[in-house]
Amino acid sequence: MFIIRPETPADRAAVRTIQAEAFATPAEADLVAALRSAGLASISLVATVNAQAVGHVLLSPVSLHGVCTADGGLGLAPLAVLPGRQGLGIGSWLVVAAIAAARRLGARYLVVLGEPAFYARFGFEAATRYGLDNEYGAGDAFQVLALRPGALPPEGGLIRYAPPFAELADTGPDA
Ligand SMILES: CC(C)(COP(=O)(O)OP(=O)(O)OC[C@H]1O[C@@H](n2cnc3c(N)ncnc32)[C@H](O)[C@@H]1OP(=O)(O)O)[C@@H](O)C(=O)NCCC(=O)NCCS
C-alpha cells in the first residue's frame, strides 16, 4: 500500500537517495536539486510506503521556439523508484498522478524521454508524429501527451528542457 503526495522539504534527502539509487550515477539526483533551487520544479511528487518516500517524479517547464510559459508544456523527468520497490506499480501510479497534477496546473502537454513500452500505456506517443523535435536525437523515445484536445502546437518545432538539464550527461533526460 502506498500513497502519492506532493514533495515537502522533509522529503528532500529521501528523494536524493531514490534518484541516486535508481539511476547509475548521481546526475539525476543533482538535476532534481538544481531544478528545485531554480524554482523549476513545477510538480514534484513522492510515493510513500509507511510514511517513507520510495518513489519520486518531477515535472519542469519546457520551451518551444524559446518560449516557456506556465500553461505550456512540461517535461516529465526524472522518474525513479527505489530498486527494492520496483515492479509493484509505484512508478505507474506516479506517472498517472503526475498527469493529473499537470492537468490541474493547466499545462497543455507533457513530454518525456523514455521507454515507449512503458509510457505508451499512459497515452504518450512519439512526438515526431506531431512535428515535435528534441535536442538529443532521441527518435521515438521522445514522446508527447496532449492534456486537452488541440493542445499541441500545430506548427511543431524544437522542444527544449529547462536549463539545468544541459548539465546532465550527453544521454539526455531519461525519465
Ligand atoms: C522505470 C521505473 C520508474 C518504473 O517504476 P516501477 O515502480 O518499477 O514501475 P511499475 O511497477 O509501475 O511498472 C512496471 C512495468 O513497467 C515496465 N518497465 C519498467 N521499466 C521499464 C523500462 N525501462 N522499459 C520498459 N518497460 C519498463 C515493467 O516491465 C513493468 O511492466 P508490466 O506492468 O507489463 O509488468 C523504475 O523501474 C525505475 O526507477 N527505474 C530506474 C530509473 C529509470 O530507468 N527511469 C527511466 C524510466 S524510462
Side-chain angles (χ1 to χ4, degrees), residues 18-19 21-24 56 78-83 85-95 112-119 121-122 174-175:
I18 293 163
Q19 294 290 349
E21 290 196 11
F23 286 94
H56 174 246
L79 166 70
V81 173
L82 275 180
R85 302 283 187 172
Q86 293 176 7
L88 302 174
I90 295 173
S92 296
W93 281 106
L94 277 167
V95 175
V112 71
L113 189 48
E115 285 294 335
F118 181 66
Y119 288 102
R121 64 186 72 183
F122 310 105
D174 261 352

Side-chain angles (χ1 to χ4, degrees), residues 69-143:
T69 60
D71 63 350
L74 295 175
L76 189 158
L79 166 70
V81 173
L82 275 180
R85 302 283 187 172
Q86 293 176 7
L88 302 174
I90 295 173
S92 296
W93 281 106
L94 277 167
V95 175
V96 169
I99 293 169
R103 276 210 175 89
R104 281 197 299 276
L105 199 64
R108 299 175 66 85
Y109 59 90
L110 297 183
V111 293
V112 71
L113 189 48
E115 285 294 335
F118 181 66
Y119 288 102
R121 64 186 72 183
F122 310 105
F124 283 89
E125 298 175 85
T128 49
R129 185 175 297 178
Y130 299 96
L132 295 169
D133 294 323
N134 66 92
E135 309 157 74
Y136 307 99
D140 285 354
F142 185 59
Q143 298 154 77

